[in-house]
Coordinates of all heavy atoms in Angstrom, one line a residue:
M1 N 4.9 -11.0 -19.1 CA 3.7 -10.5 -18.6 C 3.1 -9.5 -19.6 O 3.8 -8.5 -19.9 CB 3.9 -9.9 -17.2 CG 2.6 -9.6 -16.5 SD 2.8 -9.0 -14.8 CE 2.4 -10.5 -14.0
S2 N 1.8 -9.7 -19.9 CA 1.2 -8.7 -20.9 C 0.9 -7.4 -20.2 O 0.8 -7.3 -19.0 CB 0.0 -9.3 -21.5 OG -1.0 -9.4 -20.6
F3 N 0.6 -6.4 -21.0 CA 0.2 -5.1 -20.6 C -1.1 -5.1 -19.7 O -1.1 -4.6 -18.7 CB -0.1 -4.2 -21.7 CG -0.5 -2.8 -21.3 CD1 0.4 -1.9 -20.8 CD2 -1.8 -2.4 -21.6 CE1 0.0 -0.7 -20.3 CE2 -2.2 -1.2 -21.1 CZ -1.4 -0.3 -20.5
L4 N -2.0 -6.0 -20.2 CA -3.3 -6.1 -19.4 C -3.1 -6.7 -18.1 O -3.7 -6.4 -17.1 CB -4.3 -6.9 -20.3 CG -4.9 -6.1 -21.4 CD1 -5.9 -7.0 -22.2 CD2 -5.7 -4.8 -21.0
Q5 N -2.2 -7.8 -18.0 CA -1.9 -8.3 -16.7 C -1.2 -7.4 -15.8 O -1.5 -7.3 -14.6 CB -1.0 -9.5 -16.9 CG -1.7 -10.8 -17.6 CD -0.7 -11.8 -18.0 OE1 0.4 -11.6 -18.3 NE2 -1.2 -13.1 -17.7
Q6 N -0.3 -6.6 -16.3 CA 0.4 -5.6 -15.5 C -0.6 -4.5 -15.0 O -0.6 -4.0 -13.8 CB 1.5 -5.0 -16.3 CG 2.6 -5.8 -16.6 CD 3.8 -5.0 -17.4 OE1 3.6 -3.8 -17.6 NE2 4.7 -5.7 -17.8
L7 N -1.5 -4.1 -15.9 CA -2.6 -3.2 -15.4 C -3.5 -3.8 -14.4 O -3.8 -3.1 -13.4 CB -3.4 -2.8 -16.7 CG -4.3 -1.5 -16.6 CD1 -3.5 -0.3 -16.2 CD2 -5.0 -1.3 -17.8
G8 N -3.8 -5.0 -14.6 CA -4.6 -5.7 -13.5 C -3.9 -5.8 -12.2 O -4.5 -5.6 -11.1
F9 N -2.7 -6.1 -12.2 CA -1.8 -6.2 -11.0 C -1.7 -4.9 -10.3 O -1.8 -4.7 -9.1 CB -0.4 -6.6 -11.3 CG 0.5 -6.7 -10.1 CD1 0.4 -7.7 -9.2 CD2 1.4 -5.7 -9.8 CE1 1.2 -7.8 -8.1 CE2 2.1 -5.6 -8.7 CZ 2.1 -6.7 -7.8
L10 N -1.5 -3.7 -11.1 CA -1.4 -2.3 -10.5 C -2.8 -2.0 -9.8 O -2.8 -1.3 -8.8 CB -1.1 -1.4 -11.6 CG 0.3 -1.4 -12.0 CD1 0.5 -0.4 -13.2 CD2 1.4 -1.0 -10.9
A11 N -4.0 -2.5 -10.4 CA -5.2 -2.2 -9.8 C -5.4 -3.0 -8.5 O -5.7 -2.3 -7.5 CB -6.3 -2.7 -10.7
V12 N -4.9 -4.2 -8.5 CA -5.0 -5.0 -7.2 C -4.0 -4.3 -6.2 O -4.4 -4.3 -5.0 CB -4.7 -6.5 -7.5 CG1 -4.5 -7.2 -6.2 CG2 -5.8 -7.0 -8.3
A13 N -2.8 -4.0 -6.7 CA -1.9 -3.5 -5.8 C -2.5 -2.1 -5.2 O -2.2 -1.8 -3.9 CB -0.5 -3.2 -6.4
S14 N -3.0 -1.3 -5.9 CA -3.6 -0.1 -5.4 C -4.8 -0.3 -4.4 O -4.8 0.3 -3.3 CB -4.3 0.7 -6.6 OG -3.2 1.2 -7.4
L15 N -5.5 -1.3 -4.6 CA -6.5 -1.8 -3.6 C -5.8 -2.2 -2.3 O -6.3 -1.8 -1.2 CB -7.4 -2.8 -4.1 CG -8.4 -2.4 -5.2 CD1 -9.1 -3.7 -5.8 CD2 -9.5 -1.5 -4.5
V16 N -4.8 -3.0 -2.4 CA -4.2 -3.6 -1.1 C -3.5 -2.4 -0.5 O -3.6 -2.4 0.7 CB -3.2 -4.7 -1.6 CG1 -2.4 -5.1 -0.3 CG2 -4.0 -5.9 -2.1
N17 N -2.8 -1.6 -1.2 CA -2.2 -0.4 -0.5 C -3.1 0.5 0.1 O -2.9 1.1 1.2 CB -1.3 0.4 -1.6 CG 0.0 -0.3 -1.9 OD1 0.7 -0.9 -1.0 ND2 0.4 -0.3 -3.2
G18 N -4.3 0.8 -0.6 CA -5.3 1.6 0.0 C -5.9 1.1 1.3 O -6.2 1.7 2.3
F19 N -6.1 -0.3 1.2 CA -6.7 -1.0 2.4 C -5.7 -0.9 3.5 O -6.1 -0.6 4.7 CB -7.0 -2.4 2.0 CG -7.6 -3.2 3.2 CD1 -8.9 -2.9 3.5 CD2 -6.9 -4.2 3.9 CE1 -9.5 -3.6 4.5 CE2 -7.5 -4.8 4.9 CZ -8.7 -4.7 5.2
A20 N -4.4 -1.1 3.3 CA -3.4 -0.9 4.4 C -3.3 0.4 4.9 O -3.3 0.7 6.1 CB -2.1 -1.4 3.8
L21 N -3.4 1.5 4.0 CA -3.3 2.8 4.5 C -4.6 3.1 5.3 O -4.5 3.8 6.3 CB -3.2 3.7 3.3 CG -3.4 5.4 3.6 CD1 -2.2 5.7 4.6 CD2 -3.3 6.1 2.3
K22 N -5.7 2.7 4.9 CA -7.0 2.9 5.6 C -6.9 2.3 7.0 O -7.2 3.0 8.1 CB -8.2 2.4 4.9 CG -9.5 2.3 5.6 CD -10.5 1.5 4.8 CE -11.9 1.4 5.5 NZ -11.8 0.7 6.8
L23 N -6.5 1.1 7.1 CA -6.4 0.4 8.4 C -5.3 1.1 9.3 O -5.7 1.5 10.5 CB -6.1 -1.0 8.2 CG -7.1 -2.0 7.8 CD1 -6.5 -3.4 7.6 CD2 -8.3 -2.0 8.8
L24 N -4.2 1.4 8.9 CA -3.1 2.0 9.7 C -3.5 3.4 10.1 O -3.3 3.8 11.2 CB -1.8 2.0 8.9 CG -1.3 0.6 8.6 CD1 -0.1 0.6 7.8 CD2 -0.9 -0.2 9.9
W25 N -4.1 4.1 9.1 CA -4.5 5.5 9.4 C -5.6 5.5 10.5 O -5.6 6.2 11.5 CB -5.2 6.2 8.2 CG -5.6 7.6 8.4 CD1 -6.8 7.9 8.9 CD2 -4.9 8.7 8.2 NE1 -6.9 9.3 9.0 CE2 -5.7 9.8 8.5 CE3 -3.6 9.0 7.6 CZ2 -5.2 11.1 8.3 CZ3 -3.2 10.3 7.5 CH2 -4.1 11.4 7.9
N26 N -6.6 4.6 10.4 CA -7.7 4.6 11.4 C -7.3 4.0 12.7 O -7.8 4.3 13.7 CB -8.8 3.8 10.8 CG -9.5 4.5 9.6 OD1 -9.4 5.7 9.5 ND2 -10.3 3.8 8.8
W27 N -6.3 3.1 12.7 CA -5.8 2.6 13.9 C -4.9 3.6 14.7 O -5.0 3.6 16.0 CB -4.9 1.3 13.7 CG -5.7 0.1 13.4 CD1 -7.0 -0.2 13.6 CD2 -5.1 -1.1 12.7 NE1 -7.3 -1.4 13.2 CE2 -6.1 -2.0 12.6 CE3 -3.9 -1.4 12.3 CZ2 -6.1 -3.2 12.1 CZ3 -3.7 -2.7 11.7 CH2 -4.9 -3.6 11.7
F28 N -4.1 4.3 14.0 CA -3.1 5.2 14.7 C -3.4 6.7 14.7 O -3.3 7.4 15.6 CB -1.7 4.9 14.2 CG -1.3 3.5 14.5 CD1 -1.2 2.5 13.4 CD2 -1.2 2.9 15.7 CE1 -0.9 1.2 13.6 CE2 -0.9 1.7 15.9 CZ -0.7 0.8 14.9
M29 N -3.7 7.2 13.5 CA -3.7 8.7 13.2 C -5.1 9.2 13.8 O -5.0 10.3 14.5 CB -3.7 9.0 11.7 CG -2.5 8.5 11.1 SD -1.0 9.2 11.8 CE -0.8 10.7 11.2
V30 N -6.2 8.4 13.7 CA -7.5 8.9 14.3 C -7.4 9.1 15.8 O -7.8 10.1 16.4 CB -8.7 8.0 13.7 CG1 -9.9 8.4 14.4 CG2 -8.8 8.2 12.2
P31 N -7.1 8.0 16.6 CA -7.2 8.1 17.9 C -6.0 9.1 18.6 O -6.2 9.8 19.5 CB -7.0 6.7 18.5 CG -6.4 6.0 17.4 CD -6.8 6.7 16.1
I32 N -4.9 9.0 17.9 CA -3.7 9.8 18.5 C -3.8 11.3 18.2 O -3.7 12.2 19.0 CB -2.4 9.2 18.0 CG1 -2.2 7.8 18.5 CG2 -1.3 10.2 18.4 CD1 -1.0 7.1 17.9
L33 N -4.1 11.6 16.8 CA -4.1 13.0 16.5 C -5.5 13.6 16.2 O -5.7 14.7 15.8 CB -3.3 13.2 15.2 CG -1.8 12.8 15.3 CD1 -1.2 12.9 13.9 CD2 -1.1 13.6 16.4
E34 N -6.5 12.7 16.5 CA -8.0 13.1 16.3 C -8.2 13.5 14.9 O -9.0 14.6 14.7 CB -8.4 14.1 17.3 CG -8.3 13.5 18.8 CD -8.7 14.5 19.8 OE1 -9.2 15.7 19.5 OE2 -8.5 14.2 21.0
L35 N -7.6 12.9 13.9 CA -7.9 13.2 12.5 C -9.2 12.5 12.0 O -9.5 11.5 12.6 CB -6.7 12.9 11.6 CG -5.4 13.7 12.0 CD1 -4.3 13.2 11.3 CD2 -5.7 15.1 11.6
P36 N -9.8 12.9 10.9 CA -10.9 12.2 10.4 C -10.6 10.8 9.9 O -9.5 10.4 9.6 CB -11.4 13.0 9.2 CG -10.5 14.0 9.0 CD -9.4 14.0 10.1
I37 N -11.6 9.9 10.0 CA -11.5 8.5 9.5 C -11.5 8.5 8.0 O -12.1 9.4 7.2 CB -12.7 7.8 10.0 CG1 -12.6 7.6 11.5 CG2 -12.7 6.3 9.3 CD1 -14.0 6.9 12.1
L38 N -10.5 7.6 7.5 CA -10.4 7.5 6.0 C -11.3 6.4 5.5 O -11.2 5.3 6.1 CB -8.9 7.2 5.6 CG -8.0 8.4 5.5 CD1 -6.6 7.9 5.0 CD2 -8.5 9.6 4.7
S39 N -11.9 6.6 4.3 CA -12.6 5.6 3.7 C -11.6 4.8 2.7 O -10.5 5.3 2.5 CB -13.8 6.0 2.9 OG -13.3 6.8 1.8
L40 N -12.1 3.7 2.2 CA -11.1 2.9 1.4 C -10.8 3.8 0.0 O -9.7 3.8 -0.4 CB -11.7 1.6 0.9 CG -10.9 0.7 -0.1 CD1 -9.5 0.4 0.6 CD2 -11.6 -0.5 -0.4
T41 N -11.8 4.4 -0.5 CA -11.5 5.2 -1.7 C -10.7 6.4 -1.5 O -9.9 6.7 -2.3 CB -12.9 5.7 -2.4 OG1 -13.7 6.3 -1.4 CG2 -13.7 4.5 -2.9
Q42 N -10.9 7.0 -0.3 CA -10.0 8.2 0.0 C -8.5 7.7 0.2 O -7.6 8.3 -0.3 CB -10.5 8.8 1.3 CG -11.8 9.6 1.2 CD -12.4 10.0 2.6 OE1 -12.1 9.2 3.5 NE2 -13.1 11.1 2.6
A43 N -8.4 6.5 0.8 CA -7.0 6.0 1.1 C -6.4 5.5 -0.2 O -5.1 5.9 -0.4 CB -7.1 4.8 2.1
I44 N -7.1 5.0 -1.2 CA -6.6 4.7 -2.5 C -6.1 6.0 -3.2 O -5.0 6.0 -3.8 CB -7.5 3.9 -3.3 CG1 -7.8 2.4 -2.7 CG2 -7.2 3.7 -4.7 CD1 -8.9 1.7 -3.3
G45 N -7.0 6.9 -3.1 CA -6.6 8.3 -3.8 C -5.4 8.9 -3.2 O -4.5 9.3 -3.9
I46 N -5.3 8.9 -1.9 CA -4.0 9.4 -1.2 C -2.8 8.5 -1.7 O -1.7 9.1 -1.9 CB -4.2 9.5 0.3 CG1 -5.2 10.5 0.7 CG2 -2.9 9.7 1.0 CD1 -5.6 10.5 2.1
G47 N -3.0 7.2 -1.6 CA -1.9 6.3 -2.1 C -1.4 6.6 -3.5 O -0.2 6.7 -3.7
I48 N -2.4 6.9 -4.4 CA -2.0 7.2 -5.8 C -1.3 8.5 -5.9 O -0.3 8.7 -6.6 CB -3.3 7.2 -6.6 CG1 -3.8 5.8 -6.8 CG2 -3.0 7.7 -8.1 CD1 -5.3 5.6 -7.4
V49 N -1.8 9.5 -5.1 CA -1.1 10.8 -5.2 C 0.4 10.7 -4.7 O 1.3 11.2 -5.2 CB -1.9 11.9 -4.4 CG1 -1.1 13.2 -4.3 CG2 -3.2 12.2 -5.1
V50 N 0.5 10.1 -3.5 CA 1.9 9.9 -2.9 C 2.7 9.1 -3.8 O 3.9 9.5 -4.0 CB 1.8 9.3 -1.5 CG1 3.1 8.9 -1.0 CG2 1.0 10.2 -0.5
G51 N 2.2 8.1 -4.4 CA 3.0 7.3 -5.4 C 3.4 8.1 -6.5 O 4.5 8.0 -7.0
F52 N 2.6 8.9 -7.1 CA 2.9 9.8 -8.2 C 3.9 10.7 -7.8 O 4.8 11.1 -8.6 CB 1.6 10.5 -8.6 CG 1.9 11.5 -9.7 CD1 2.1 11.2 -11.0 CD2 1.8 12.9 -9.3 CE1 2.4 12.2 -11.9 CE2 2.1 13.9 -10.2 CZ 2.3 13.6 -11.6
L53 N 3.9 11.4 -6.7 CA 4.8 12.4 -6.2 C 6.2 11.8 -5.8 O 7.3 12.4 -6.0 CB 4.3 13.3 -5.0 CG 3.0 14.0 -5.4 CD1 2.5 14.6 -4.0 CD2 3.4 15.1 -6.4
T54 N 6.2 10.5 -5.5 CA 7.5 9.9 -5.0 C 8.0 8.9 -6.0 O 9.0 8.3 -5.6 CB 7.3 9.3 -3.5 OG1 6.3 8.3 -3.7 CG2 6.9 10.4 -2.6
H55 N 7.4 8.7 -7.1 CA 7.8 7.7 -8.1 C 9.3 7.8 -8.5 O 9.6 9.0 -8.8 CB 6.9 7.5 -9.3 CG 7.3 6.6 -10.3 ND1 7.2 5.2 -10.0 CD2 7.9 6.8 -11.4 CE1 7.6 4.6 -11.1 NE2 8.1 5.4 -12.0
Q56 N 10.0 6.7 -8.6 CA 11.3 6.8 -9.1 C 11.4 5.7 -10.2 O 11.1 4.6 -9.8 CB 12.3 6.6 -8.0 CG 12.4 7.7 -6.9 CD 13.4 7.4 -5.9 OE1 14.2 6.4 -6.0 NE2 13.5 8.3 -4.8
Y57 N 11.8 6.1 -11.3 CA 12.0 5.1 -12.4 C 13.4 4.5 -12.3 O 14.5 5.1 -12.2 CB 12.0 5.8 -13.8 CG 12.2 4.8 -14.9 CD1 11.3 3.9 -15.2 CD2 13.4 4.8 -15.5 CE1 11.4 3.0 -16.2 CE2 13.6 3.8 -16.7 CZ 12.7 3.0 -16.9 OH 12.9 2.0 -17.9
I58 N 13.3 3.1 -12.2 CA 14.5 2.3 -12.1 C 14.4 1.2 -13.2 O 13.6 0.4 -13.2 CB 14.7 1.6 -10.8 CG1 14.7 2.6 -9.6 CG2 15.9 0.8 -10.7 CD1 14.5 2.1 -8.3
P59 N 15.3 1.3 -14.3 CA 15.2 0.3 -15.3 C 15.6 -1.0 -14.7 O 16.5 -1.1 -13.9 CB 16.3 0.8 -16.3 CG 17.1 1.9 -15.7 CD 16.3 2.4 -14.5
M60 N 14.9 -2.0 -15.1 CA 15.1 -3.4 -14.6 C 14.7 -4.4 -15.6 O 14.0 -4.2 -16.6 CB 14.4 -3.6 -13.3 CG 12.8 -3.5 -13.4 SD 12.1 -3.5 -11.8 CE 12.2 -1.8 -11.3
N61 N 15.3 -5.6 -15.5 CA 14.9 -6.7 -16.4 C 13.7 -7.4 -15.8 O 13.0 -7.0 -14.9 CB 16.1 -7.7 -16.5 CG 16.4 -8.4 -15.2 OD1 15.6 -8.7 -14.4 ND2 17.7 -8.7 -15.1
K62 N 13.3 -8.4 -16.6 CA 11.9 -9.1 -16.4 C 11.9 -9.8 -15.0 O 11.0 -9.7 -14.3 CB 11.8 -10.2 -17.5 CG 10.4 -10.7 -17.6 CD 10.2 -11.6 -18.8 CE 8.8 -11.7 -19.2 NZ 8.7 -12.6 -20.4
E63 N 13.0 -10.4 -14.6 CA 13.1 -11.1 -13.3 C 13.0 -10.1 -12.1 O 12.3 -10.3 -11.1 CB 14.3 -11.8 -13.1 CG 14.4 -13.1 -14.1 CD 15.8 -13.6 -14.2 OE1 16.7 -13.0 -13.7 OE2 15.9 -14.6 -14.9
Q64 N 13.6 -8.9 -12.3 CA 13.6 -7.9 -11.3 C 12.1 -7.3 -11.2 O 11.7 -6.9 -10.1 CB 14.6 -6.7 -11.6 CG 16.0 -7.2 -11.4 CD 17.0 -6.1 -11.9 OE1 16.7 -5.6 -12.9 NE2 18.0 -6.1 -11.2
K65 N 11.4 -7.2 -12.4 CA 10.0 -6.7 -12.3 C 9.1 -7.6 -11.4 O 8.3 -7.1 -10.7 CB 9.5 -6.6 -13.7 CG 10.0 -5.4 -14.5 CD 9.3 -5.3 -15.8 CE 9.8 -4.2 -16.7 NZ 9.2 -4.1 -18.0
I66 N 9.4 -8.9 -11.5 CA 8.5 -9.9 -10.8 C 8.8 -9.7 -9.3 O 8.0 -9.6 -8.5 CB 8.9 -11.3 -11.2 CG1 8.3 -11.4 -12.7 CG2 8.2 -12.3 -10.3 CD1 8.6 -12.8 -13.3
E67 N 10.1 -9.4 -9.0 CA 10.5 -9.2 -7.5 C 9.8 -7.9 -7.0 O 9.3 -7.9 -5.9 CB 12.0 -9.2 -7.4 CG 12.7 -10.5 -7.5 CD 14.2 -10.3 -7.5 OE1 14.6 -9.3 -7.1 OE2 14.9 -11.3 -8.0
V68 N 9.9 -6.9 -7.8 CA 9.3 -5.6 -7.4 C 7.8 -5.8 -7.3 O 7.2 -5.2 -6.3 CB 9.5 -4.5 -8.4 CG1 8.7 -3.3 -8.2 CG2 11.0 -4.3 -8.4
M69 N 7.1 -6.5 -8.1 CA 5.6 -6.7 -8.0 C 5.3 -7.5 -6.7 O 4.4 -7.2 -6.1 CB 5.2 -7.5 -9.3 CG 5.2 -6.6 -10.4 SD 4.8 -7.5 -12.0 CE 3.2 -8.0 -11.8
F70 N 6.1 -8.5 -6.3 CA 5.9 -9.2 -5.1 C 6.1 -8.3 -3.8 O 5.3 -8.3 -3.0 CB 6.7 -10.5 -5.0 CG 6.2 -11.7 -5.7 CD1 7.0 -12.2 -6.8 CD2 5.0 -12.3 -5.4 CE1 6.5 -13.3 -7.4 CE2 4.5 -13.3 -6.1 CZ 5.2 -13.9 -7.2
S71 N 7.1 -7.5 -4.0 CA 7.3 -6.6 -2.8 C 6.2 -5.5 -2.7 O 5.9 -5.1 -1.7 CB 8.7 -5.9 -3.0 OG 8.7 -5.0 -4.0
M72 N 5.6 -5.2 -3.9 CA 4.5 -4.2 -3.9 C 3.3 -4.8 -3.1 O 2.4 -4.0 -2.6 CB 4.1 -3.8 -5.3 CG 5.0 -2.9 -6.0 SD 4.6 -2.6 -7.7 CE 2.9 -1.8 -7.5
M73 N 3.1 -6.1 -3.1 CA 2.0 -6.7 -2.4 C 2.5 -7.1 -1.0 O 1.6 -7.1 -0.1 CB 1.7 -8.0 -3.1 CG 1.0 -7.7 -4.6 SD -0.4 -6.7 -4.5 CE -1.7 -7.9 -4.0
L74 N 3.7 -7.5 -0.7 CA 4.2 -7.9 0.6 C 4.3 -6.8 1.5 O 4.0 -7.0 2.8 CB 5.5 -8.7 0.5 CG 5.3 -10.1 -0.2 CD1 6.6 -10.8 -0.2 CD2 4.3 -11.0 0.5
L75 N 4.7 -5.7 1.1 CA 4.9 -4.6 2.0 C 3.7 -4.1 2.7 O 3.6 -4.0 3.9 CB 5.7 -3.3 1.3 CG 5.9 -2.2 2.2 CD1 6.9 -2.5 3.4 CD2 6.5 -1.0 1.4
P76 N 2.6 -3.9 2.0 CA 1.3 -3.4 2.8 C 0.8 -4.6 3.6 O 0.3 -4.3 4.7 CB 0.3 -3.1 1.7 CG 1.0 -3.5 0.4 CD 2.5 -3.8 0.5
I77 N 1.0 -5.8 3.2 CA 0.4 -6.9 4.0 C 1.2 -7.0 5.3 O 0.7 -7.2 6.4 CB 0.4 -8.2 3.2 CG1 -0.6 -8.1 2.1 CG2 0.2 -9.4 4.1 CD1 -0.5 -9.2 1.1
A78 N 2.6 -7.0 5.1 CA 3.4 -7.0 6.4 C 3.2 -5.8 7.2 O 3.1 -5.9 8.4 CB 4.9 -7.0 5.9
S79 N 2.9 -4.7 6.7 CA 2.6 -3.4 7.5 C 1.3 -3.6 8.2 O 1.2 -3.2 9.4 CB 2.5 -2.2 6.6 OG 3.8 -1.9 5.9
I80 N 0.3 -4.2 7.6 CA -1.0 -4.5 8.3 C -0.7 -5.4 9.5 O -1.2 -5.2 10.6 CB -2.0 -5.0 7.3 CG1 -2.5 -4.0 6.3 CG2 -3.2 -5.6 8.1 CD1 -3.3 -4.6 5.2
L81 N 0.0 -6.5 9.3 CA 0.2 -7.5 10.3 C 0.9 -6.8 11.5 O 0.6 -7.0 12.7 CB 0.9 -8.7 9.8 CG 0.2 -9.6 8.8 CD1 1.1 -10.6 8.2 CD2 -1.0 -10.1 9.5
F82 N 2.1 -6.1 11.2 CA 2.9 -5.6 12.3 C 2.0 -4.4 13.0 O 2.1 -4.3 14.1 CB 4.1 -4.9 11.6 CG 5.0 -4.4 12.7 CD1 5.6 -5.2 13.6 CD2 5.3 -3.1 12.8 CE1 6.5 -4.7 14.6 CE2 6.1 -2.5 13.8 CZ 6.8 -3.3 14.6
G83 N 1.3 -3.6 12.2 CA 0.4 -2.6 12.7 C -0.6 -3.1 13.7 O -1.0 -2.5 14.7
Y84 N -1.1 -4.3 13.2 CA -2.2 -4.9 14.1 C -1.6 -5.4 15.4 O -2.3 -5.2 16.5 CB -2.7 -6.1 13.3 CG -3.9 -6.9 14.1 CD1 -5.1 -6.3 14.3 CD2 -3.5 -8.1 14.8 CE1 -6.0 -7.0 15.1 CE2 -4.5 -8.8 15.5 CZ -5.7 -8.3 15.7 OH -6.7 -8.9 16.4
V85 N -0.5 -6.0 15.4 CA 0.1 -6.3 16.7 C 0.4 -5.0 17.5 O 0.1 -5.1 18.8 CB 1.4 -7.1 16.4 CG1 2.3 -7.2 17.7 CG2 1.2 -8.3 15.7
V86 N 0.9 -3.9 17.0 CA 1.1 -2.7 17.8 C -0.2 -2.3 18.3 O -0.4 -1.8 19.5 CB 1.8 -1.7 16.9 CG1 1.9 -0.4 17.5 CG2 3.3 -2.2 16.6
H87 N -1.2 -2.3 17.4 CA -2.6 -1.7 17.8 C -3.2 -2.5 19.0 O -3.9 -1.9 19.8 CB -3.4 -1.8 16.5 CG -4.9 -1.3 16.8 ND1 -6.0 -2.1 16.9 CD2 -5.3 0.0 16.9 CE1 -7.0 -1.4 17.1 NE2 -6.7 -0.1 17.2
L88 N -2.8 -3.8 19.1 CA -3.4 -4.6 20.2 C -2.8 -4.0 21.5 O -3.5 -4.2 22.5 CB -2.9 -6.0 20.1 CG -3.6 -6.8 19.0 CD1 -3.0 -8.2 18.8 CD2 -5.1 -6.8 19.1
F89 N -1.7 -3.4 21.6 CA -1.1 -2.9 22.8 C -1.5 -1.4 23.1 O -1.1 -0.9 24.2 CB 0.5 -3.0 22.8 CG 0.9 -4.4 22.8 CD1 1.3 -5.0 21.6 CD2 0.9 -5.1 24.0 CE1 1.7 -6.4 21.6 CE2 1.4 -6.5 24.0 CZ 1.7 -7.0 22.8
M90 N -2.4 -0.8 22.3 CA -2.8 0.6 22.5 C -3.9 0.6 23.5 O -4.8 -0.3 23.7 CB -3.2 1.2 21.3 CG -2.0 1.5 20.4 SD -2.5 2.3 18.9 CE -3.0 3.9 19.4

């Protein structure tokens, strides 16, 4: 995978993570704790800051990189789906 492809994937992953954070925050944090609503750009920014502060470097081979990239996309999507189901019961 080329550098530009990796960069594009990181951009898409940031958007998906930001979207997941925005939805989950607005579903749970706003009504429960009466916190302000997050916009998509605010959620992306918070996601980038948290990722920067919690990043851990793990050396891996090419096959492991692909697995990590898939998990970077599946975790926020699974969180949205599970959060939606929980949100329905609120």
Side-chain angles (χ1 to χ4, degrees):
M1 183 174 259
S2 74
F3 176 74
L4 288 177
Q5 288 173 326
Q6 290 179 7
L7 195 60
F9 176 82
L10 287 174
V12 171
S14 292
L15 285 170
V16 172
N17 284 320
F19 184 71
L21 177 59
K22 173 189 175 297
L23 285 179
L24 295 170
W25 180 277
N26 293 339
W27 283 342
F28 300 111
M29 303 303 281
V30 171
I32 295 170
L33 301 175
E34 298 179 3
L35 295 172
I37 293 173
L38 279 184
S39 70
L40 180 59
T41 53
Q42 291 169 327
I44 291 169
I46 290 171
I48 290 170
V49 170
V50 169
F52 171 74
L53 294 174
T54 61
H55 176 74
Q56 296 178 4
Y57 176 74
I58 302 169
M60 59 187 88
N61 62 32
K62 195 175 204 176
E63 293 164 356
Q64 291 171 321
K65 283 184 184 181
I66 293 171
E67 290 176 15
V68 168
M69 291 171 63
F70 278 119
S71 69
M72 285 175 64
M73 296 298 284
L74 291 178
L75 179 62
I77 292 169
S79 298
I80 290 170
L81 293 174
F82 186 70
Y84 178 72
V85 171
V86 172
H87 182 255
L88 291 175
F89 291 99
M90 289 181 64

